[in-house]
Amino acid sequence: MSQCIFCKIINKEIPGHVVYEDEFVLAFLDISQSTKGHTLVIPKKHAQDVFSMTAEDMSHVFSIVPKLANALKTTFNCNGLNVVNNNGVAAGQTVFHYHVHLIPRYDETDGFSNSYANNMENYTPEMLAALKEEVIKSL
């Protein structure tokens, strides 16, 4: 993908602060640094999002996540880590090359929010059972 910024980093057309590279995966510091050490893990083979990833390519990406997570914990002495992946505009994806964010967490004031809406009161057990059946039909 000639216009993809992450492909340009992979191809060394533009610089990236690469922390890990192998035949299939590249990991580099996110220039936004949501928190200190914020790292992106990407497949070298272009895929737009999770919907276009193969199981094999996904396994390559996630095979390195624990190693990088531990390196970030050791390096930055963080107290936790968010593993975040946004797919599609509605989910907040802004670069359309599949990527996983590894965001070190230090405390509740580190500037990153991971709050999720709690809509439990809107779903009965029967509604959840019906949703489950819909998903199973699509597998």
Side-chain angles (χ1 to χ4, degrees), residues 74-89:
T74 298
T75 302
F76 299 111
N77 196 33
C78 56
N79 295 315
L81 180 96
N82 283 94
V83 178
V84 179
N85 174 239
N86 305 318
N87 295 278
V89 174

Side-chain angles (χ1 to χ4, degrees), residues 9-65:
I9 293 171
I10 292 165
N11 294 325
K12 312 290 191 249
E13 296 170 25
I14 60 174
H17 295 281
V18 175
V19 298
Y20 177 85
E21 182 173 10
D22 66 24
E23 182 181 355
F24 305 105
V25 176
L26 188 75
F28 53 95
L29 296 177
D30 188 311
I31 61 171
S32 72
Q33 288 296 285
S34 293
T35 66
K36 186 169 65 175
H38 180 174
T39 299
L40 301 177
V41 185
I42 66 172
K44 285 187 169 180
K45 181 174 151 188
H46 183 87
Q48 180 169 310
D49 51 31
V50 70
F51 308 111
S52 57
M53 287 285 286
T54 66
E56 181 181 27
D57 292 336
M58 188 68 80
S59 71
H60 290 305
V61 169
F62 275 93
S63 70
I64 194 60
V65 166

Side-chain angles (χ1 to χ4, degrees), residues 102-124:
L102 302 180
I103 304 171
R105 299 304 306 276
Y106 301 95
D107 61 35
E108 63 279 348
T109 65
D110 63 17
F112 185 77
S113 173
N114 61 340
S115 60
Y116 296 95
N118 182 343
N119 291 307
M120 189 169 80
E121 65 190 32
N122 298 326
Y123 293 90
T124 65

